[in-house]
Amino acid sequence: MTAITTSVFELFKIGPGPSSSHTIGPMTAGYRFYNAVDDLNLDVQPDNIEIRLYGSLSATGKGHGTDRAVVAGLLGFSPDNVECEFLEALAEGSSHQFESGGISIPLSVKDVVFAEVENDFPYANTLLLRLRKGTEVLFEQEYYSIGGGFIKLKGQQEEIPRVLPYRYSNMDELKAILTDEGLRMHQAVLVNETAITGVSEEEVYEKLDAILDAMKLSVENGLSAEGILPGPLGLHRKAKRLYENSAQTNAADKFLLRLNAYGFAASEENAAGHIVVTAPTSGSAGVIPAAIYALEEDLGISREKVREGMLVAAALGFIAKHNASIAGAEVGCQGEVGVASAMAAGLVAYANGLRFWRVENAAESALEHHLGLTCDPVGGYVQIPCIERNAMGVVRAYNAYLIASVENEIFHKVSFDEVVQAMAETGKDMNSKYRETSLGGLAVSVPNC
């Protein structure tokens, strides 16, 4: 299998919620189309843009804000520079002008077509963007949203493979490198990251600090917010109440309640369409931030140790993505909250100074007990069961860390690679109605109130 060449900052991306595959990815696709048009020299002046969404982008695109996201991208905004207020205005139907390459065309979310859910494209979540004169197609691009905000373009030339100092495709290969080279896990990831990005180790840590600060800010904003989340479900925020009421409990319950509150807080911010960090997706953007907030604010773990833990979490996310998927549309929520829980468990274990075999065991346990988890958002909104599921994911991550910290190594039977393989196979067998289409499970059992 080819070696993993993903950057830490391709996995952890700052952007608006509520979904990396349905919001950040489509916005990126629209932005790339906007830039591609700028390089065109058309003989015929187009008069309209065709925007078609397929797969779960169509099935749950309204609830995920996919229409406003792709339109924002077409208007020249990328996920890291768009204002939430602008996205909210787009959702309300405000009209703007697509202006690129000397072309000017009126554009709003009303121009987005929610097309076939079942389709024959290479990836279910496909966006088809076309410049047209009447019905004549002058230019088109076909994009695939493959999870975690990652986008593929049909016909795009494969990049020249990055040759990294430490080449691994799974956990067994990474452990062999650590043993042979006498490295700690974060050191190998850091060396590879400097090779990928061409920046210094200090700059990598500076960028990690920006990611960590954004994660903690999403928790803090969620802890201070009240009211009802956007959309027809009428779901009330819970994070602030959980946090405030935790003071009335005993010490053990207080920590557990606060951990839950942090998970709710970041996830509620994501559900509101506010700024979060994909970790590894937006739908799972509450798990790792909750763990980090608890580590630094409740347990006094240093930022240095947390940075190192983040690099380890990234490696776990790389392996899951490389050998299975982190997309709910491909493998269900086991690939989103399940992988996030594994990453958080590994992060907490590593930040607390555990050896790499205990780190692996913690990550494996967390993912193992998310196997088979479906993605069935009620009404297509990243709210029920997504928000509470993030809180459960971070609690399970912490529990996996606790068990791994004291267990006997020789009695642990399942490896991280084995559980990732199980997740991939489970995802293949999972009925499409449980993979982010809102056609099964809670999505049909719970009334869209």
Side-chain angles (χ1 to χ4, degrees):
M1 182 176 286
T2 58
I4 293 168
T5 59
T6 308
S7 164
V8 171
F9 305 105
E10 291 172 322
L11 191 68
F12 298 122
K13 297 183 287 290
I14 300 172
S19 170
S20 47
S21 60
H22 289 61
T23 311
I24 292 178
M27 190 182 301
T28 301
Y31 182 66
R32 290 184 185 177
F33 187 85
Y34 165 85
N35 286 321
V37 171
D38 195 40
D39 295 331
L40 295 178
N41 186 17
L42 296 174
D43 295 329
V44 179
Q45 184 74 6
D47 58 18
N48 70 93
I49 299 177
E50 182 180 7
I51 308 164
R52 299 183 69 85
L53 307 178
Y54 297 87
S56 69
L57 297 182
S58 175
T60 62
K62 269 293 180 187
H64 287 85
T66 307
D67 48 357
R68 67 181 183 181
V70 68
V71 168
L74 289 168
L75 293 173
F77 292 92
S78 61
D80 60 354
N81 71 8
V82 71
E83 295 289 338
C84 295
E85 293 79 7
F86 179 73
L87 290 175
E88 290 167 2
L90 283 178
E92 294 168 0
S94 62
S95 184
H96 298 266
Q97 290 290 123
F98 172 85
E99 307 239 6
S100 183
I103 297 166
S104 182
I105 300 171
L107 186 62
S108 80
V109 294
K110 298 173 185 176
D111 298 307
V112 177
V113 176
F114 294 92
E116 293 79 13
V117 175
E118 298 293 331
N119 60 75
D120 296 324
F121 292 108
Y123 295 87
N125 286 349
T126 293
L127 304 92
L128 193 58
L129 305 178
R130 290 170 169 157
L131 279 182
R132 304 191 309 181
K133 174 74 171 180
T135 59
E136 180 188 359
V137 177
L138 306 178
F139 175 69
E140 74 173 29
Q141 290 194 329
E142 188 176 302
Y143 294 94
Y144 313 119
S145 183
I146 60 174
F150 290 86
I151 286 289
K152 284 188 176 182
L153 170 64
K154 179 183 178 180
Q156 182 176 347
Q157 295 248 343
E158 291 292 330
E159 292 183 3
I160 298 173
R162 297 158 169 164
V163 179
L164 303 183
Y166 302 119
R167 295 171 57 81
Y168 64 93
S169 64
N170 56 37
M171 180 59 78
D172 281 348
E173 292 175 2
L174 177 56
K175 287 192 296 184
I177 289 169
L178 301 181
T179 300
D180 293 344
E181 301 291 332
L183 293 171
R184 296 191 64 214
M185 196 181 298
H186 81 276
Q187 292 172 327
V189 179
L190 181 60
V191 170
N192 277 1
E193 185 63 28
T194 61
I196 291 169
T197 60
V199 303
S200 67
E201 292 185 3
E202 290 76 14
E203 290 172 303
V204 171
Y205 281 133
E206 286 176 9
K207 293 178 73 174
L208 270 178
D209 278 339
I211 294 293
L212 289 166
D213 290 342
M215 285 181 167
K216 291 185 70 176
L217 184 60
S218 70
V219 174
E220 289 167 359
N221 288 340
L223 289 176
S224 64
E226 295 180 287
I228 298 175
L229 292 166
L233 302 184
L235 191 67
H236 285 261
R237 288 177 179 258
K238 293 182 181 178
K240 183 178 181 181
R241 181 176 177 83
L242 289 175
Y243 181 77
E244 291 176 345
N245 288 350
S246 68
Q248 303 169 17
T249 62
N250 61 55
D253 289 350
K254 179 178 180 179
F255 177 75
L256 193 59
L257 265 176
R258 287 192 169 186
L259 194 57
N260 275 283
Y262 304 152
F264 269 92
S267 293
E268 287 170 354
E269 283 297 284
N270 178 64
H274 295 168
I275 299 300
V276 293
V277 178
T278 60
T281 69
S282 297
S284 60
V287 180
I288 293 176
I292 288 165
Y293 203 87
L295 285 173
E296 291 194 349
E297 300 301 322
D298 293 287
L299 302 177
I301 303 296
S302 70
R303 175 55 65 94
E304 178 186 4
K305 294 299 182 185
V306 172
R307 287 193 204 106
E308 293 174 357
M310 277 287 282
L311 292 172
V312 169
L316 294 165
F318 294 160
I319 292 167
K321 180 180 183 298
H322 193 71
N323 296 281
S325 177
I326 56 172
E330 292 186 10
V331 295
C333 200
Q334 58 176 351
E336 296 202 31
V337 170
V339 172
S341 185
M343 293 167 68
L347 188 162
V348 172
Y350 200 82
N352 277 284
L354 299 191
R355 294 283 302 277
F356 68 72
W357 66 265
R358 291 191 187 273
V359 172
E360 179 189 4
N361 289 356
E364 181 281 317
S365 293
L367 182 54
E368 178 182 335
H369 299 293
H370 283 89
L371 287 178
L373 191 61
T374 59
C375 184
D376 51 354
V378 174
Y381 285 82
V382 191
Q383 297 181 10
I384 301 172
C386 318
I387 294 170
E388 193 168 290
R389 189 168 284 174
N390 274 259
M392 298 296 180
V394 70
V395 170
R396 188 167 286 176
Y398 199 82
N399 199 43
Y401 147 69
L402 289 176
I403 293 169
S405 69
V406 297
E407 72 174 334
N408 189 324
E409 178 184 8
I410 64 174
F411 297 143
H412 196 98
K413 297 294 187 182
V414 184
S415 72
F416 188 69
D417 288 336
E418 289 168 340
V419 78
V420 168
Q421 181 183 353
M423 181 179 73
E425 293 300 322
T426 304
K428 289 177 186 176
D429 293 338
M430 191 179 289
N431 190 295
S432 63
K433 67 183 182 181
Y434 300 118
R435 298 201 306 261
E436 210 169 4
T437 58
S438 289
L439 298 175
L442 281 175
V444 298
S445 300
V446 178
N448 293 356
C449 49

